[in-house]
Amino acid sequence: MSIKRLSGVHAPHHKNTAECAPQRIPTPDKVIIPMNMHIGAPSTPVVKAGDLVKVGQVIGEAAGFVSVPVHASVSGKVVKIDELLMANGAKAKAVVIEADGLQEVAETVVPPTVETTEQFLAAVRASGLVGLGGAGFPTVVKLSVKNPNSIDYLLINGAECEPYITSDLRTMIDDCEHIIKGAALIKKFVGQKKTIIGIEDNKPEAIKLFQEKTANDPDFEVMAMPSLYPQGGEKVLIHNATGRDVPEGKLPLDVGCIVINVTTLAFISKYIETGMPLIEKCLTVDGSAVAKPGNVIAPIGTPIAKIFEFCGGYKAEPRKILYGGPMMGISVPSDEVPLLKNNNAVLAFAEKEATLAPTTACIKCGRCVAACPVGLMPATIEHAFKIKNVDMLNELKVMLCMECGCCSFVCPAKRELVLTNKLAKAMVREASQKK
Amino acid sequence: MIVTCSPHIRHQDTTKSIMRDVLIALAPALLVSVFVFGVHALVLVAVCVAFAVGAEYVFEKACGKPITIGDYSAVVTGLLLAYNLPLGLPLWMAAFGSIVAIIFAKQLFGGIGQNFANPAITARIVLLISFTGPMTDWVTGYPDTVAGATPLTLMATGQTDKMPSIAQMALGQIGGCIGEVSAVALLIGFAYLLYRKVITWHITISFIATVAVLTALLGQNPVYHMLTGGLMLGAIFMATDYSTSPQTPKGRVIFGIGCGILTVLIRVYGNYPEGVSFAILLMNIIAPHISNYTRNKALGGAAK
Ligand code: SF4
Ligand code: SF4
């Protein structure tokens, strides 16, 4: 099968921490656990100040289909329910727990009974799982398939194309078994016909490992992908692995695909074994301001300052701190913000890396056009946005932009094309609501 | 703490570094030119560059706009214009041309990236129409080659016996504008631009190939057409100007073919033996439309 390769950019890899096996940080004295770590309705807190909680206990209940429960990540006392301003600007309730350091496990943490598809899905929901690589989409929603016969592919995303981040690589190498078991579970209960794991070709050890472990499963394919950011974009992965394109406004399910990140998959099989919900994350800590970059395992809700502290603290004044990688990560206002379920890295940059070159006039070089994996025309979108022409924005398919950042990355004039695209998408959304 | 929108890393190329690369790519042609025409070629270049940069500075200062001479784009324009002039052109005309290029073709449209026509080409055409005599008064640097005419003029007037050899043309021993005489030097620049990814191959190759194929079909010598009349200079450095050419690969090929067809039509059937400038200018005008019609198909954007 020959598939036209999508564009992208050669971002510098900076995978300094690829060799660092994850280390668990000591239990922090306090965790702040937000109720909206997933898209969809925020969970409802079910504890109040003064309550004693144990590890794995439900502290927030799912408030709808696109929602999952939230669990305590430490044992200790709930000190308050705070109003927290999240990095995306939304306000959310957050449960603040003072840890007692004992890490007592809740009685509710027992392996779930999973014999039917319903039980499996219920378990995935109860685990509090959201896609661990990206936007925080509840995994159970992805797996809730109306017609199991329509699922041709389970695509396991092991691309990890963001610079710096190596936590998925560590999972692939250290926890390969659980990833494969997870795929088998999904095959049993959801029923894909074929499983493909996509790994960028700059991770040969991981590719080799999976090839060995799945050698006698004809339905499991290991696909080496070019190291061209963004191979891990959901639609890019689907295109490159199957040749299918997800139509505008549709989901991967509509073209017979389920895409799941490697760490998410590993978590599912571990959860079925132990019943321990999503209370901690393996993540990469790196950046020019960090003294000892590495991979760590930390409880959800840990203020990220504590995580940096564990990594030797700052060796230069941090001027920019990111949730996630430098291509799609979100810059946060301070290091007091908590670790979220979908974070796979926190990065801290010193002055030099934090300051961007000034923006100059667009010289119409077309590099943004050449770089866009979706085939959009970012410079033209910018123009349409400036003149507030919603029809033109629709015609330019701005809603298909996956905000991967390739266009801004290559722009020699350093224009904020992704920011413009986000604002333009908001403008289109608003206009369609008015209609 | 600095809070900005993603992405948080950027490619190292800037407008300035791109323009610097263009200047580097133009350097070999300048060397050949000085070698062939002597120091006066340098004087002409200096005047054009100085007036281009000066005009940009004065205009932006007068309008209270940010001064952009630091991005080297005005230097590139001045240099390209100089390359498009014959050696003997009175210096004040060259200076006038630079001012036209910067003020009328670039700044009045809003500055870098906003102009629809290539400034150097516009200025060249203005000069050609205003001062046809001096603009077509060719001098060559070699006493043993034909003075006073370019190979294209010779070809057009049927004096094929007086035409220089292909080697002479490739190395610049011919009459012509100061920057267009050595195809080899210009091709070195092309290779550099491709290597540095400043331009893609699409426009240049489709332009030159179209000229070669069409002239061959019309029974003329394609090699002569490729090596003379500023085709290399135009196809490598002028037609590829970012703001006046399409942004999509497909669009660039169409643009190059269009330039090629027009060049040949003007050269073979028109009154001006040198059709490159006019061809590029005409294609500049429709470039935005070509961009529009050759928009990439968005991933999954077909079904609505
Ligand atoms: S990459 Fe930047 S300068 Fe080039 S066309 Fe796109 S927006 Fe303009
Ligand atoms: S327009 Fe959107 S999808 Fe295309 S490169 Fe820019 S951010 Fe990525």
Side-chain angles (χ1 to χ4, degrees), chain B residues 126-140:
Chain B
V126 169
L127 291 176
L128 195 61
I129 294 171
S130 319
F131 315 111
T132 313
M135 278 295 284
T136 50
D137 187 6
W138 313 109
V139 203
T140 58

Side-chain angles (χ1 to χ4, degrees), chain A residues 135-153:
Chain A
F137 196 72
T139 307
V140 62
V141 180
K142 270 191 191 174
L143 296 179
S144 301
V145 181
K146 285 197 200 78
N147 174 11
N149 279 331
S150 67
I151 299 305
D152 299 325
Y153 295 100

Side-chain angles (χ1 to χ4, degrees), chain A residues 187-315:
Chain A
K187 185 161 184 154
K188 183 162 168 205
F189 293 112
V190 183
Q192 77 273 15
K193 300 186 182 78
K194 204 166 171 343
T195 305
I196 303 179
I197 183 165
I199 306 174
E200 276 196 346
D201 57 16
N202 59 359
K203 305 173 187 72
E205 350 62 309
I207 296 176
K208 204 165 141 256
L209 192 59
F210 274 95
Q211 274 166 345
E212 282 165 16
K213 300 267 176 186
T214 62
N216 41 23
D217 183 351
D219 293 333
F220 197 114
E221 187 190 326
V222 182
M223 191 181 73
M225 299 189 298
S227 309
L228 187 75
Y229 176 88
Q231 295 301 319
E234 195 164 71
K235 288 178 177 175
V236 177
L237 184 62
I238 293 174
H239 178 95
N240 286 353
T242 69
R244 298 180 183 182
D245 289 338
V246 183
E248 189 172 1
K250 297 279 173 141
L251 293 170
L253 277 183
D254 297 314
V255 293
C257 296
I258 295 175
V259 182
I260 290 188
N261 167 279
V262 277
T263 311
T264 313
L265 203 53
F267 174 81
I268 293 179
S269 59
K270 271 189 277 184
Y271 178 75
I272 303 292
E273 279 169 22
T274 64
M276 178 58 81
L278 183 59
I279 52 139
E280 61 181 18
K281 269 312 293 275
C282 168
L283 69 159
T284 300
V285 187
D286 202 345
S288 56
V290 179
K292 287 194 215 105
N295 285 304
V296 305
I297 298 171
I300 309 278
T302 307
I304 59 176
K306 285 273 177 259
I307 299 175
F308 287 121
E309 208 177 284
F310 178 75
C311 291
Y314 302 120
K315 63 179 179 198

Side-chain angles (χ1 to χ4, degrees), chain B residues 77-260:
Chain B
T77 299
L79 202 55
L80 280 176
L81 176 62
Y83 281 19
N84 275 289
L85 302 176
L87 186 69
L89 192 77
L91 292 178
W92 70 266
M93 288 185 191
F96 172 72
S98 285
I99 295 170
V100 168
I102 294 294
I103 308 275
F104 288 90
K106 180 180 177 188
Q107 288 297 343
L108 288 180
F109 286 96
I112 190 165
Q114 301 292 317
N115 47 306
F116 78 90
N118 182 307
I121 290 206
T122 311
R124 180 187 190 192
I125 288 175
V126 169
L127 291 176
L128 195 61
I129 294 171
S130 319
F131 315 111
T132 313
M135 278 295 284
T136 50
D137 187 6
W138 313 109
V139 203
T140 58
Y142 292 89
D144 57 340
T145 50
V146 199
T150 71
L152 279 180
T153 335
L154 295 172
M155 204 153 36
T157 51
Q159 299 166 274
T160 33
D161 49 326
K162 292 191 190 159
M163 300 227 311
S165 74
I166 286 171
Q168 280 174 322
M169 292 201 300
L171 294 173
Q173 300 179 5
I174 51 167
C177 300
I178 68 165
E180 65 187 38
V181 289
S182 169
V184 172
L186 292 168
L187 283 171
I188 293 173
F190 180 49
Y192 180 76
L193 290 181
L194 286 182
Y195 167 72
R196 297 282 298 161
K197 297 202 169 76
V198 170
I199 58 172
T200 57
W201 59 269
H202 302 84
I203 294 178
T204 309
I205 299 295
S206 57
F207 191 166
I208 296 174
T210 305
V211 169
V213 170
L214 267 189
T215 48
L217 287 179
L218 290 172
Q220 306 212 347
N221 184 337
V223 180
Y224 274 66
H225 273 280
M226 281 159 70
L227 293 181
T228 61
L231 178 64
M232 290 289 167
L233 181 64
I236 298 169
F237 291 97
M238 323 267 276
T240 54
D241 174 31
Y242 290 147
S243 47
T244 59
S245 61
Q247 292 175 19
T248 55
K250 236 185 287 164
R252 287 175 178 164
V253 171
I254 295 174
F255 182 84
I257 294 175
C259 285

Side-chain angles (χ1 to χ4, degrees), chain A residues 360-369 378-380 382 407 410-415 417, chain B residues 15 242 247:
Chain A
T360 52
C362 168
I363 54 174
K364 306 232 165 74
C365 62
R367 290 179 187 208
C368 51
V369 180
T380 319
E382 192 182 36
C407 50
V410 294
C411 177
K414 314 294 163 199
R415 302 196 67 76
L417 298 167
Chain B
T15 303
Y242 290 147
Q247 292 175 19

Side-chain angles (χ1 to χ4, degrees), chain A residues 6 11-12 163 235 239 245-248 318-322 325-335 353-356 360-367 369 373-377 379-380 395-397 400 405 408-416 418-419 422, chain B residues 1-19 21 68 71 73 110-116 193 196-200 240-249 252 288 290-304:
Chain A
L6 299 172
K235 288 178 177 175
H239 178 95
D245 289 338
V246 183
E248 189 172 1
R319 296 286 288 133
K320 190 188 254 181
I321 292 182
L322 302 182
M327 291 302 284
M328 287 191 79
I330 298 170
S331 64
V332 296
S334 87
D335 59 9
E353 289 77 14
T355 27
L356 298 177
T360 52
C362 168
I363 54 174
K364 306 232 165 74
C365 62
R367 290 179 187 208
V369 180
V374 184
L376 304 179
M377 310 263 287
T380 319
E395 206 190 306
L396 290 166
K397 303 277 178 205
L400 287 174
S408 293
F409 175 79
V410 294
C411 177
K414 314 294 163 199
R415 302 196 67 76
E416 294 290 351
V418 178
L419 179 62
K422 287 185 183 181
Chain B
M1 212 61 81
I2 301 172
V3 177
T4 58
C5 181
S6 60
H8 305 282
I9 46 171
R10 303 294 163 99
H11 196 270
Q12 74 274 10
D13 278 1
T14 60
T15 303
K16 185 172 169 170
S17 75
I18 290 174
M19 293 301 160
D21 276 339
T68 58
D71 67 16
S73 65
I112 190 165
Q114 301 292 317
N115 47 306
F116 78 90
L193 290 181
R196 297 282 298 161
K197 297 202 169 76
V198 170
I199 58 172
T200 57
T240 54
D241 174 31
Y242 290 147
S243 47
T244 59
S245 61
Q247 292 175 19
T248 55
R252 287 175 178 164
I290 300 178
S291 257
N292 250 334
Y293 284 115
T294 56
R295 205 178 284 157
N296 296 333
K297 189 183 146 283
L299 183 63
K304 189 106 201 243

